[in-house]
Amino acid sequence: QPIWLERADCAVVESGQLTTWIGAGRLQGVAGFDLLEGPTTLSSGGLRDLRPLAQAGHPPDEILNRLVVLRLRAIADLLLPLYERTNGAAGFACCDLLASPSTDLLPAARSLWDLVNRPNVMLGVPATAQGLAALEAATTEGINIHVAAVGSLERYGEVLDASLRGLERRHAAGLSLGHVASAASMDLRAVETHVGERLRAIAQDEPLLSERAQALSGRAGTALAMSVAAQHRAVLTNPGFLRLAELGARLQRLVLFGLPRQTVPAGSAGSAEEDPAGGPILGADADTLASGQVVQNWLAGLEGDLSAPRAEFAALESLGIPSAETCARVEAAFLRGVVQRHHHWLGVVRRQAREA
């Protein structure tokens, strides 16, 4: 089962644990990272990098940008042998771009791409209109993009279409398609959080609908996972994609976080490299990987019948919870998280730069 680490915290990176997991064939990629060792301090490596920059008088925002570049580059370098061994099908390190609902993300993507200067980096954008525009344009320019917080089946279709348009534009410009990569990810916990809140409110406020609402609780994420996995597989027979694949294009990867999973003893399941260009990638946290178990995706056994997820979506719609609403809430929560994390990091950098 291909696996991406959800977030590489400082201890995992600086202790050598991430290197061990990659060397053991347990990871295809890293979806994000942290710069802080605790709530209010940079890691030891971050402090070492900060001091000369602060003493040279660089402003906090420039220092933070430099720390992000160094950490992203370090993780990408750990994954680079896997990237090269799989001919660019695996081994990616991701970093979310700072975004707001009105941000033009392409200049930021170009800047960070050039600064990090590694072929196996993916730059994260939200699954908003601005994010999809950045995906198409960046793909045209050969910049790898990770579209995060996809919150509905409809939005996932739009992400796939934007990726294909970018590849078409790149081919029309006479540029190679072989090294360009992208991924789309879903946090099914975020979907369940929003839908669960709405269902609880309905059950409380509308007694006649309470039983129906309670029966749907905890099922939206599973329905969405099954549906997007089916759409992901369908791209393999899409004439437009097949034509681009003949020219070297790769299928956009699908990464699912918060997916129900089982664990089996390490060694009794396949390695992370067995399916470098195929089905969905499973997101796992550091605790799961540290347990010494291999996580397995349960979607493979549920590929056939999509009537159940369709019924789930129809039932939610009938209760006044349309997928567009869920998608918008998931995107908004992701954007808030990115902005809050950036502001928190900047505050820590500002304080520790004064103390350097």
Side-chain angles (χ1 to χ4, degrees):
Q1 171 62 58
I3 299 168
W4 275 21
L5 178 62
E6 186 166 8
R7 184 162 295 277
D9 62 33
C10 296
V12 164
V13 176
E14 296 181 16
S15 69
Q17 183 62 71
L18 182 60
T19 304
T20 299
W21 287 336
I22 295 169
R26 303 200 63 197
L27 288 177
Q28 270 205 0
V30 175
F33 57 86
D34 204 346
L35 293 177
L36 305 186
E37 196 168 63
T40 60
T41 184
L42 292 167
S43 69
S44 57
L47 283 171
R48 184 176 59 248
D49 293 328
L50 173 140
R51 288 191 184 101
L53 296 169
Q55 292 166 0
H58 292 277
D61 58 339
E62 288 185 10
I63 295 174
L64 176 56
N65 191 54
R66 181 60 178 167
L67 296 180
V68 168
V69 168
L70 291 173
R71 179 52 55 93
L72 179 56
R73 186 184 292 155
I75 295 172
D77 285 345
L78 293 177
L79 287 159
L80 191 57
L82 173 59
Y83 175 86
E84 294 173 341
R85 192 162 59 247
T86 60
N87 194 29
F92 291 97
C94 304
C95 177
D96 294 328
L97 297 173
L98 182 63
S100 70
S102 59
T103 300
D104 180 358
L105 293 164
L106 185 59
R110 287 171 177 154
S111 176
L112 188 55
W113 178 259
D114 289 341
L115 287 169
V116 178
N117 192 28
R118 293 295 186 273
N120 60 324
V121 159
M122 280 191 184
L123 306 180
V125 302
T128 59
Q130 290 78 13
L132 298 190
L135 168 63
E136 181 176 343
T139 299
T140 303
E141 296 185 16
I143 299 172
N144 300 332
I145 294 293
H146 166 218
V147 182
V150 180
S152 71
L153 179 61
E154 295 78 12
R155 181 68 89 210
Y156 180 56
E158 294 170 2
V159 172
L160 287 171
D161 289 344
S163 174
L164 292 176
R165 287 195 303 270
L167 291 169
E168 290 277 10
R169 288 172 54 186
R170 184 169 177 81
H171 173 60
L175 301 171
S176 169
L177 304 182
H179 74 281
V180 186
S182 67
S185 69
M186 294 185 168
D187 186 345
L188 303 174
R189 296 159 302 194
V191 173
E192 288 286 7
T193 294
H194 168 66
V195 173
E197 289 173 352
R198 293 282 282 112
L199 288 172
R200 285 190 294 273
I202 291 169
Q204 181 177 344
D205 298 340
E206 303 182 49
L208 293 178
L209 298 177
S210 177
E211 185 175 347
R212 287 175 58 196
Q214 291 176 12
L216 290 169
S217 180
R219 290 158 54 175
T222 298
L224 183 57
M226 291 178 64
S227 299
V228 298
Q231 189 162 356
H232 179 77
R233 292 191 299 273
V235 177
L236 292 170
T237 60
N238 179 298
F241 172 73
L242 290 174
R243 184 175 58 82
L244 292 170
E246 291 178 354
L247 300 169
R250 296 186 183 278
L251 177 65
Q252 183 183 73
R253 301 312 308 267
L254 172 63
V255 188
L256 299 172
F257 296 104
L259 190 68
R261 55 185 180 259
Q262 61 180 341
T263 60
V264 296
S268 62
S271 78
E273 294 183 47
E274 283 192 357
D275 186 22
I281 296 169
L282 184 63
D285 58 28
D287 289 341
T288 300
L289 287 167
S291 70
Q293 303 289 298
V294 176
V295 290
Q296 287 192 316
N297 188 336
W298 53 261
L299 279 174
L302 299 174
E303 291 181 353
D305 185 9
L306 293 178
S307 59
R310 292 192 186 105
E312 298 286 343
F313 295 140
L316 290 172
E317 186 93 26
S318 72
L319 288 175
I321 310 177
S323 59
E325 175 191 296
T326 301
C327 186
R329 295 291 183 88
V330 169
E331 291 167 1
F334 172 79
L335 285 171
R336 283 196 303 272
V338 170
V339 171
Q340 289 169 1
R341 183 168 61 249
H342 175 84
H343 287 169
H344 183 54
W345 284 357
L346 184 58
V348 172
V349 166
R350 183 176 291 114
R351 177 179 57 80
Q352 298 208 281
R354 288 197 301 264
E355 298 169 354

